[in-house]
Amino acid sequence: MSDKVRVRFAPSPTGSLHIGGARTALFNLLFARHNGGKFILRIEDTDTERSTEESARQIVRSLRWLGLDWDEGPEKGGEYGPYFQSQRLELYRKEVQRLLDEGKAYYCYCTPEELAERREAALKAGKAPRYEGCCRELAEEQKKKFEAEGRKPTVRIKVPQEGQTVVDDLIRGQVVFENSVLDDFIIFKSNGIPTYNFACVVDDNAMEITHIIRAEEHLSNTPKQIQVYRALGYDIPKFAHVPMILAPDRSKLSKRHGATSVEEFRDQGYLAEAIVNYLTLLGWSPEGNEEIFDLEKAIKEFSLERVNKTAAIYDVKKLTWINGHYLRELDLDHITKQLIPFLVKKDIITEKEIGQKYEYIKQVTAISRDRSRTLDELADAIAFFFKDVTEYEEKGIKKHFEKEHAAELLVKGAEALEKLEEFTHDSTEKAFRDLTDSMGLKAAELIHPTRLAITGRTVGPGLFEIIILLGKEETARRMRKAAEWIRKEKRL
């Protein structure tokens, strides 16, 4: 086995990349980078009924979007390829034949119906259902008889019936499994496709994987895989099973708890940097109490010793809080580019306008991003910069538009702005304050209805920053339009 750390993330392409899978990939990447090793991506697509090419593409796309870059694997290649199990069948056939030749595995001719009957009988008798080794010592005549009946055999591995299989887990310590509960499990199906527990062992050995870091739900597979390692005479790698991710109510995470796939989070306006930061802290504890951890910092500090043994609780509120932080702090151009697809999707701008309005979008983003937690929220919050206001917030109407002189004030405010030769933050603010002073009013009595008139909302960025970006003509037009709306409402 290689002296250098080699780890792998080996998803089955039967659906999208979920938060749990993304965290497994991340922990493997952090461990590899921290130890100067290699991170390999392998697609385990031997489940021919459920695996799809689209799912494989989606997993690769999600990992790329998150910035979890692999050293070897799909799209990159490497000296241990191919990196799709469906392209490695010859290797599995060779190794299974070796086990058959050495008497460590055997053909099993039991039909699915016979196995189901025995399973039911065992359950009725209050026993744990397990394969009783019916075909373990079959005579040649019996094999020929079964083959003449057209039975297609599976291949089972011979597992010791006594003793224990011990997993030395880097996170959980020693986990002991009684061999009496392991049966002679299938390593090759009747259709000539290897099972998961066989193929991944052959691949991990062939790819010189030194550490297997994966989800806790795979722990029950590990004693079986150790039996395969021993039968094939391979070195056994080190195992580390990371804790489950549970929903806030401590149940298994599922669709009913909201978004669970990486692409769903992306489409809801979460940033890759925030998701990676959040996943880093999901089941791993840094030495201090810091909550903000970029990938570089995580690589520097990551160790398996600090991975928790207990389940991690999935908390969208915390992810959203972290996302808000990155939305405020990341490079403005980066955030603007991430935001644009949301503006297009919501018909706030068109594809054609992206180039000509880029600088304007960037300025709008700069003054608005502090108040939003996701890109989706931010797109909604800035729509008024690009589209006319068609409705006003109900609570704002009651508070600001129903005042006696609201319409008159808005018109006078518009006139004050139109008279300005120099249109700056300071000059617009001075014009408003001079006007309200001359009328014996507080500036707020003009500022609040103006905000509602030009944005449709009661909260947002600084009013005079908005006015400067909207421009003199558009601001004055919206103020007059709101005054007209107020007068019309009063006449009704």
Side-chain angles (χ1 to χ4, degrees):
M1 193 179 283
S2 169
D3 294 336
K4 204 168 181 166
V5 163
R6 287 178 60 82
V7 295
R8 50 62 161 188
F9 175 53
S12 296
T14 55
S16 315
L17 178 66
H18 282 145
I19 284 298
R23 186 193 60 171
T24 300
L26 172 64
F27 281 14
N28 274 282
L29 175 85
L30 294 176
F31 185 74
R33 297 281 176 270
H34 181 84
N35 292 289
K38 297 278 190 210
F39 171 49
I40 292 98
L41 174 62
R42 181 174 78 229
I43 304 293
E44 301 201 331
D45 58 347
T46 52
D47 184 342
T48 45
E49 284 170 28
R50 293 169 63 228
S51 294
T52 68
E53 278 182 37
E54 175 46 39
S55 172
R57 280 195 294 272
Q58 197 175 34
I59 289 166
V60 166
R61 198 162 63 226
S62 293
L63 289 171
R64 281 221 179 284
W65 179 75
L66 286 171
L68 305 183
D69 202 13
W70 51 99
D71 300 299
E72 300 169 23
E75 297 181 0
K76 289 240 170 136
E79 57 184 293
Y80 296 85
Y83 294 90
F84 285 82
Q85 283 191 331
S86 56
Q87 296 166 20
R88 300 174 64 82
L89 295 175
E90 207 40 59
L91 177 61
Y92 310 135
R93 287 186 191 120
K94 194 177 108 226
E95 291 296 70
V96 84
Q97 191 56 54
R98 183 157 73 81
L99 291 184
L100 287 164
D101 293 346
E102 291 172 7
K104 294 172 180 175
Y106 59 90
Y107 288 112
C108 170
Y109 294 89
C110 299
T111 65
E113 294 75 24
E114 287 167 347
L115 293 170
E117 264 175 44
R118 285 183 213 140
R119 181 184 165 81
E120 219 164 283
L123 287 169
K124 269 186 189 163
K127 292 179 186 169
R130 58 195 295 281
Y131 182 71
E132 296 293 350
C134 312
C135 299
R136 199 174 193 174
E137 307 296 342
L138 275 187
E140 277 308 310
E141 281 169 41
Q142 190 60 53
K143 284 184 196 171
K144 282 177 185 157
K145 182 173 170 287
F146 282 147
E147 276 166 20
E149 286 172 20
R151 295 192 184 208
K152 285 205 160 66
T154 58
V155 178
R156 290 181 183 270
I157 189 166
K158 287 183 179 174
V159 174
Q161 305 295 291
E162 291 161 9
Q164 297 171 326
T165 302
V166 178
V167 179
D168 285 311
D169 195 278
L170 294 171
I171 293 167
R172 297 166 191 284
Q174 273 203 351
V175 188
V176 178
F177 293 87
E178 295 297 329
N179 289 342
S180 57
V181 302
L182 300 176
D183 55 10
D184 290 354
F185 55 93
I186 295 171
I187 55 173
F188 243 72
K189 299 179 212 169
S190 57
N191 61 359
I193 300 289
T195 58
Y196 162 73
N197 282 318
F198 184 74
C200 77
V201 169
V202 172
D203 285 339
D204 287 336
N205 178 72
M207 293 180 181
E208 296 191 11
I209 301 301
T210 60
H211 296 75
I212 293 173
I213 304 165
R214 60 186 178 191
E216 184 186 1
E217 61 240 41
H218 285 293
L219 184 57
S220 58
N221 288 317
T222 308
K224 293 180 177 181
Q225 290 170 15
I226 287 174
Q227 293 299 335
V228 176
Y229 276 103
R230 285 179 181 155
L232 288 164
Y234 296 162
D235 289 338
I236 298 172
K238 294 185 168 75
F239 289 95
H241 290 88
V242 298
M244 296 268 288
I245 300 174
L246 297 179
D249 63 1
R250 303 195 78 80
S251 65
K252 198 175 175 202
L253 195 57
S254 69
K255 283 273 182 205
R256 70 189 169 89
H257 300 109
T260 54
S261 82
V262 170
E263 291 202 338
E264 280 176 300
F265 280 109
R266 184 200 64 194
D267 294 346
Q268 286 178 11
Y270 287 88
L271 297 158
E273 294 85 351
I275 294 174
V276 167
N277 186 150
Y278 176 66
L279 291 178
T280 300
L281 300 172
L282 202 56
W284 176 77
S285 309
E287 285 191 23
N289 295 319
E290 284 173 83
E291 301 274 58
I292 301 302
F293 254 79
D294 65 14
L295 198 55
E296 274 178 50
K297 186 174 167 60
I299 287 167
K300 212 174 284 177
E301 297 200 18
F302 187 81
S303 72
L304 289 173
E305 286 75 28
R306 300 196 70 85
V307 173
N308 307 334
K309 291 181 177 65
T310 51
I313 304 297
Y314 170 81
D315 179 359
V316 181
K317 283 188 190 139
K318 186 169 179 182
L319 168 60
T320 307
W321 175 81
I322 292 172
N323 203 66
H325 168 87
Y326 281 98
L327 206 50
R328 291 190 299 277
E329 301 296 329
L330 285 176
D331 174 72
L332 182 57
D333 272 302
H334 176 68
I335 294 297
T336 306
K337 284 169 188 161
Q338 302 279 316
L339 176 64
I340 283 169
F342 289 85
L343 296 174
V344 173
K345 189 171 77 180
K346 291 171 183 283
D347 293 325
I348 294 167
I349 61 168
T350 63
E351 291 273 2
K352 278 184 184 169
E353 291 174 308
I354 296 170
Q356 64 205 56
K357 288 194 174 176
Y358 181 78
E359 282 306 316
Y360 179 65
I361 299 166
K362 188 170 152 182
Q363 287 174 302
V364 167
T365 304
I367 68 163
S368 308
R369 61 176 172 166
D370 283 11
R371 294 172 172 273
S372 295
R373 299 167 310 160
T374 67
L375 292 165
D376 193 67
E377 260 182 35
L378 181 54
D380 286 335
I382 65 174
F384 69 83
F385 279 104
F386 304 90
K387 295 194 149 205
D388 198 5
V389 175
T390 53
E391 52 186 39
Y392 306 103
E393 240 176 53
E394 195 61 47
K395 63 177 182 183
I397 293 170
K398 286 189 169 66
K399 207 170 174 186
H400 307 304
F401 280 4
E402 288 178 4
K403 286 192 173 166
E404 199 181 335
H405 303 295
E408 182 194 344
L409 254 180
L410 284 170
V411 173
K412 285 189 172 172
E415 287 168 354
L417 292 178
E418 284 166 334
K419 284 178 192 158
L420 291 174
E421 281 182 29
E422 194 188 2
F423 201 71
T424 64
H425 186 289
D426 291 349
S427 69
T428 51
E429 186 172 359
K430 186 175 183 305
F432 268 34
R433 293 193 187 281
D434 288 350
L435 173 62
T436 49
D437 284 351
S438 71
M439 296 174 75
L441 299 171
K442 287 180 178 165
E445 292 187 62
L446 175 57
I447 286 171
H448 292 314
T450 299
R451 177 187 292 285
L452 186 59
I454 67 176
T455 71
R457 298 157 187 250
T458 53
V459 291
L463 177 67
F464 300 102
E465 290 173 304
I466 296 172
I467 286 173
I468 297 307
L469 277 176
L470 278 177
K472 186 194 291 187
E473 279 177 35
E474 183 60 16
T475 302
R477 186 190 70 74
R478 290 188 187 187
M479 289 170 80
R480 290 178 194 281
K481 179 184 164 188
E484 192 51 46
W485 185 88
I486 294 166
R487 288 180 183 134
K488 189 177 162 206
E489 289 294 305
K490 281 185 177 171
R491 286 197 297 271
L492 289 176

